[in-house]
Amino acid sequence: MKLSIVSALMAVGFAAQASCAALVAKSALDVFVLTIIKPDANSVWVVGQQELVTWDTSNAPVNISNEGLIALNKSHKQTFLAEGFDLRSGHEVVTVPTDTVPGTYTITLFGDSGNFSPQFPIIA
């Protein structure tokens, strides 16, 4: 019986050690804080046209595990414009949907977190 208890305690100890190692490995992952360059407050996008979203890659880690996602935002509505691209590229061409209502919008660039652009207009 003592052997079973000792074996069980050793198994718990090894499991706890493995869990701690996994937590250390996850905390060591690089976090890429994205800064959107364009669109900015001076940008004007046009419904149905291709537009360029750019961001700063000067602090990009060598390895990024997340793929990018770009969303167009107005009030509480999001429309996804692009997904699955390499965040290290620093840019992505998107098309403004033809059913977009002219008005004031922002872009969210998702990677490790969501980063918003300044507000900018979309016109018809």
Side-chain angles (χ1 to χ4, degrees), residues 27-92:
S27 68
L29 293 175
D30 290 320
V31 174
F32 182 24
V33 178
L34 301 162
T35 301
I36 298 172
I37 298 170
K38 293 285 184 178
D40 61 17
N42 297 315
S43 300
V44 177
W45 284 14
V46 179
V47 172
Q49 298 296 308
Q50 287 189 332
E51 303 290 350
L52 184 64
V53 177
T54 60
W55 56 93
D56 181 14
T57 60
S58 63
N59 65 344
V62 174
N63 296 310
I64 299 174
S65 58
N66 296 338
E67 294 180 329
L69 178 97
I70 296 173
L72 181 64
N73 314 298
K74 182 169 180 69
S75 300
H76 298 289
K77 181 183 175 194
Q78 282 191 327
T79 303
F80 296 106
L81 302 179
E83 62 181 298
F85 53 88
D86 187 348
L87 291 166
R88 292 170 294 183
S89 70
H91 67 277
E92 185 71 15

